[in-house]
Amino acid sequence: MSPQPLLDAREVTVRFGGLTAVDAVSARFMPGELVGIIGPNGAGKTTFFNAISGVTRPTSGALSVQGRELAGKGPHRFAANGLARTFQTPRTFGDMLVRDNIAFGLKFAGRRPRKYIWWGEETSVPWVLRTPESILGLIGLSAQADLPAAAITPSQQR
Ligand SMILES: Nc1ncnc2c1ncn2[C@@H]1O[C@H](COP(=O)(O)OP(=O)(O)O)[C@@H](O)[C@H]1O
Ligand SMILES: [Mg+2]
C-alpha cells in the first residue's frame, strides 16, 4: 500500500467571473516532500496556493488533506489537519517573546490535544508539534525562546 498523501488535489478549478485562473489542476503532495510550483506572472500560482490552503473556495474539484475532504472549508480546518500556509514576509508579533508567538499560533490553529466539538479528536497531530518547547527544539530555536521576536533574523522569524 502506498503512503497517504498529505494533500491530494483533484481537478481543482478556480474561476473569477469569466476568467479561469486555475484549470482542473491535480497534484499529490507526500509528507516530507519539497515541491516548487513555477509559472509566469498570472499563471495562477497564488490562486492555487489560496485554494489548497482554504483561503479561496475552489469553483470545483476536491481537496483531500490526510484523507479528509476539505474543499470549501476554512483555513483553520486545513491548519487543524496539518496543512498551513506561510507567507514570504514574516508576520511575527515583534514585542512578544519567540515562545509566545508560537503559543499564539498553536492556539489559533487549534493544535491542542483535546476533543473537538465539531470535527472530532485531533489524533493526527504528532506530540512534537503540540507545545512551544518541543516545536522550538524541532526547528532549532530553543536558545531564542525568551527573546522578543523582533530580535531574531527574518528567516528565523519565518
Ligand atoms: N481575486 C481575483 N479576482 C479576479 N481575478 C483574479 C483574482 N486573483 C487573481 N486573479 C487573476 O487570476 C489569474 C491568476 O493570478 P495569480 O494566481 O495571482 O497568478 P500568479 O500567482 O501565478 O502570478 C490572473 O489573471 C489574475 O489577474
Ligand atoms: Mg503570485
Side-chain angles (χ1 to χ4, degrees):
M1 208 180 93
S2 54
Q4 187 184 50
L6 185 63
L7 169 68
D8 188 8
R10 297 184 306 281
E11 302 273 312
V12 172
T13 295
V14 182
R15 290 199 188 93
F16 298 112
L19 183 136
T20 302
V22 175
D23 191 4
V25 174
S26 297
R28 282 182 159 208
F29 305 94
M30 305 306 290
E33 232 186 344
L34 190 59
V35 179
I37 295 179
I38 59 169
N41 225 350
K45 304 178 296 294
T46 297
T47 305
F48 183 63
F49 282 125
N50 287 340
I52 63 176
S53 56
V55 173
T56 296
R57 172 192 283 262
T59 309
S60 62
L63 291 167
S64 151
V65 181
Q66 303 198 81
R68 291 220 174 112
E69 284 304 327
L70 294 185
K73 309 288 187 208
H76 61 293
R77 294 285 308 277
F78 283 72
N81 284 286
L83 198 156
R85 169 91 186 268
T86 68
F87 294 88
Q88 198 163 352
T89 309
R91 298 292 296 270
T92 49
F93 298 102
D95 296 338
M96 277 165 53
L97 302 182
V98 168
R99 78 163 73 249
D100 293 340
N101 271 268
I102 291 184
F104 179 87
L106 284 172
K107 212 167 211 180
F108 176 75
R111 290 192 154 202
R112 283 158 293 174
R114 65 169 174 82
K115 202 132 177 98
Y116 279 79
I117 297 168
W118 299 112
W119 60 92
E121 203 160 353
E122 210 172 21
T123 48
S124 64
V125 177
W127 283 98
V128 71
L129 296 180
R130 291 182 181 188
T131 69
E133 289 68 31
S134 58
I135 290 172
L136 285 163
L138 182 74
I139 64 177
L141 285 181
S142 299
Q144 286 80 10
D146 294 314
L147 293 175
I152 61 174
T153 69
S155 66
Q156 288 175 327
Q157 290 172 14
R158 206 175 287 125

